[in-house]
Amino acid sequence: MAAFSAWFWNERFWLPHNVTWADLADPAPGMEYPKAGHLFTAFPLALGIFAVRILFERFVASPCARSLHIQPGVGRRAQPNALLEKVFTSITKNPDSRHLDGLSKQLDWEARKVQRWFRQRRNQDKPSTHTKFCESMWRFTFYLCIFTFGFRFLWQCPWMWDTKLCWYGYPYQVMTPGLYRYYVIELAFYWSLMFSQFTDIKRKDFLIMFIHHLATVSLISFSYINNMTRVGSLVMCVHDASDFLLEAGKLANYAKFQRLCDFLFIVFGVAFFITRLVIYPVWVLNSTMFESWAIVGPYPSWWLFNFLLLVLQVLHIIWFYLIARIAVKAMLRGKTLFVPSPSGKGEGETPSFCLSPLLSRFFSVCFVHLRPLPSLFVAVCKDVRSDIESSSEEEPDTPTEGPRAFSHLPKAENGTRGHCVAAKDGVQNHNSW
């Protein structure tokens, strides 16, 4: 165990050249450097956040949902049938025509009745609109609060206005109380999301989202341990800037406030593009890759940190491209995600759909002038979370046959180019921002 610990905490991996853990172990009185042990605070805090979420959803979000006529009732349940249940759980949840014919003969049912049973059974495992509304309201509240807290904190920090200050004096940068709270709260929240996945209704994206939350926890923890917290705080703030807008748009969608939903997702799309495809690479990646190279110089964990940030940027591009492609297809086919046409749905008539006027004008401008950059409002079609979590909408109990609605300096002795020694000598004069 000692050998593994020595290998894992190898100073040559985690720290710049000629900097050791001992250099960071005894700061001046009243000062504190980040230590791995600090992160254990996130575990009890995560349990506390999880408990607050349960209380919030029950006593705040649920009454709000009911006031908007979103009831917690479960949809129509499939009638018990041992044979069909066995096929559903062990063979297929969406049988093809061959399976339907065979099952209809065994049960002496019409194929349409068997198909309807499977549709109703699939819908049983999906969260209701009430459940999704409560979950989105909790996420919206947290994302808005943590973004407000983080932005107000960073507004007073000099490294927000000059990102080179993220690296001057590195790694001898004092952990301020505000920065510590920001980090631990963010980390605890994502730990709580991992806990809640095992108690929530299990969704088809369970593994994807578990990996996503685990990667987020790893990146936050990694940046804290090697004291890249200044630039890490910028990364977190940039990502929080659009998340609450996505949740707000989903709330409007669940409440059937269509025009508000359209507006919020246009705003979300613009915010996502500006923060994650402009500010993040131009402001954050430029600092982590080029400014840090000039001021501190590369070392093993520096390479890993930048690799992870680049992977994150690639994911931003992929997510934006996929959703933009869906949006363009929706526009070209004259379909929409949410808005039924004035003809409605009559007896024996399949539902028809059209773009709402606001979205129609927006997509026209995007497609003609920006082509690859339409709004990300369509993320709600599959209940996508910003950070990219989806849950499918309920299927209709009666099948439709028409076109389907579109849903879904020179180097100094310490190896850090002359800044570490000066910072260590001057750290006692460091003030908290």
Side-chain angles (χ1 to χ4, degrees):
M1 191 66 182
F4 173 79
S5 179
W7 170 81
F8 184 81
W9 296 109
N10 190 314
E11 296 165 341
R12 298 284 59 81
F13 172 79
W14 289 98
L15 300 173
H17 302 295
N18 296 329
V19 178
T20 67
W21 293 118
D23 297 331
L24 302 173
D26 297 313
M31 303 296 178
E32 188 69 61
Y33 297 134
K35 293 181 175 63
H38 297 168
L39 298 178
F40 289 111
T41 309
F43 291 107
L45 185 58
L47 292 175
I49 291 176
F50 183 59
V52 170
R53 172 195 168 177
I54 295 174
L55 296 174
F56 179 89
E57 291 185 354
R58 177 172 299 181
F59 298 108
V60 178
S62 185
C64 289
R66 289 191 180 94
S67 68
L68 295 170
H69 309 291
I70 303 174
Q71 300 302 325
V74 180
R76 184 183 303 174
R77 303 183 67 87
Q79 67 182 80
N81 187 292
L83 175 61
L84 295 182
E85 186 67 28
K86 183 178 180 180
V87 173
F88 182 86
T89 55
S90 60
I91 300 177
T92 179
K93 296 182 179 181
N94 195 5
D96 55 21
S97 58
R98 182 175 60 85
H99 282 102
L100 288 174
D101 291 341
L103 291 170
S104 63
K105 292 177 181 178
Q106 292 183 59
L107 296 170
D108 196 24
W109 285 9
E110 292 183 0
R112 182 175 293 238
K113 184 177 180 180
V114 177
Q115 188 178 34
R116 186 182 300 114
W117 187 96
F118 276 92
R119 185 180 300 110
Q120 293 172 353
R121 182 62 182 83
R122 288 194 299 269
N123 285 338
Q124 285 181 204
D125 295 337
K126 295 176 182 177
S128 66
T129 300
H130 183 276
T131 300
K132 292 188 288 186
F133 181 93
C134 293
E135 181 179 317
S136 288
M137 189 169 180
W138 161 247
R139 290 172 181 263
F140 166 77
T141 303
F142 178 85
Y143 288 142
L144 180 60
C145 290
I146 196 64
F147 172 69
T148 303
F149 173 83
F151 188 77
R152 289 187 62 186
F153 167 74
L154 288 173
W155 188 268
Q156 307 170 51
C157 297
W159 63 82
M160 181 175 182
W161 311 106
D162 182 2
T163 53
K164 291 180 180 179
L165 294 176
C166 292
W167 309 107
Y168 287 139
Y170 177 84
Y172 303 105
Q173 295 174 343
V174 173
M175 171 58 63
T176 65
L179 184 56
Y180 174 74
R181 285 193 293 267
Y182 189 25
Y183 249 77
V184 171
I185 292 173
E186 286 271 15
L187 182 60
F189 175 72
Y190 283 101
W191 274 120
S192 72
L193 290 183
M194 294 183 68
F195 299 155
S196 63
Q197 276 198 293
F198 296 95
T199 59
D200 291 342
I201 296 173
K202 193 169 183 179
R203 298 174 179 173
K204 62 182 180 181
D205 61 349
F206 175 88
L207 181 60
I208 295 174
M209 291 316 304
F210 183 82
I211 294 173
H212 171 267
H213 298 330
L214 185 62
T216 304
V217 165
S218 301
L219 191 55
I220 293 175
S221 302
F222 179 85
S223 64
Y224 187 91
I225 291 171
N226 66 357
N227 203 9
M228 292 185 178
T229 52
R230 293 186 178 183
V231 72
S233 64
L234 301 180
V235 174
M236 292 190 298
C237 188
V238 164
H239 285 76
D240 291 338
S242 59
D243 286 343
F244 73 93
L245 292 170
L246 174 60
E247 300 301 331
K250 287 158 60 178
L251 290 173
N253 181 47
Y254 299 145
K256 303 187 186 306
F257 295 154
Q258 190 53 50
R259 290 187 178 274
L260 177 60
C261 177
D262 293 347
F263 172 75
L264 286 172
F265 276 94
I266 290 172
V267 175
F268 164 74
V270 174
F272 187 99
F273 175 78
I274 293 175
T275 56
R276 304 200 186 191
L277 298 185
V278 178
I279 294 178
Y280 178 75
V282 173
W283 188 44
V284 177
L285 289 182
N286 176 68
S287 179
T288 62
M289 297 181 66
F290 301 108
E291 292 178 350
S292 64
W293 181 292
I295 297 172
V296 178
Y299 54 98
S301 66
W302 179 94
W303 288 104
L304 178 58
F305 185 66
N306 279 283
F307 172 76
L308 294 174
L309 294 179
L310 285 172
V311 170
L312 192 58
Q313 179 60 21
V314 171
L315 292 175
H316 294 162
I317 295 171
I318 293 173
W319 293 331
F320 192 83
Y321 165 74
L322 292 175
I323 299 173
R325 186 175 65 176
I326 294 172
V328 171
K329 287 182 178 179
M331 181 194 66
L332 294 178
R333 294 176 183 176
K335 297 178 181 179
T336 186
L337 304 177
F338 317 112
V339 186
S341 67
S343 63
K345 182 181 178 184
E347 186 67 29
E349 180 185 1
T350 57
S352 58
F353 291 78
C354 62
L355 279 171
S356 63
L358 177 61
L359 294 181
S360 182
R361 289 194 296 271
F362 172 74
F363 278 138
S364 297
V365 172
C366 286
F367 185 69
V368 173
H369 299 288
L370 302 178
R371 288 190 182 270
L373 308 177
S375 167
L376 283 179
F377 89 98
V378 292
V380 78
C381 66
K382 289 186 179 179
D383 203 18
V384 179
R385 285 149 175 70
S386 147
D387 202 306
I388 313 301
E389 184 174 358
S390 66
S391 64
S392 303
E393 298 295 333
E394 289 189 9
E395 302 171 54
D397 283 340
T398 56
T400 59
E401 303 196 0
R404 187 178 176 185
F406 192 80
S407 62
H408 311 58
L409 297 142
K411 196 173 209 180
E413 200 178 9
N414 65 352
T416 55
R417 307 197 181 229
H419 295 284
C420 288
V421 172
K424 189 175 182 181
D425 294 339
V427 74
Q428 298 181 15
N429 297 322
H430 188 286
N431 293 321
S432 298
W433 289 292

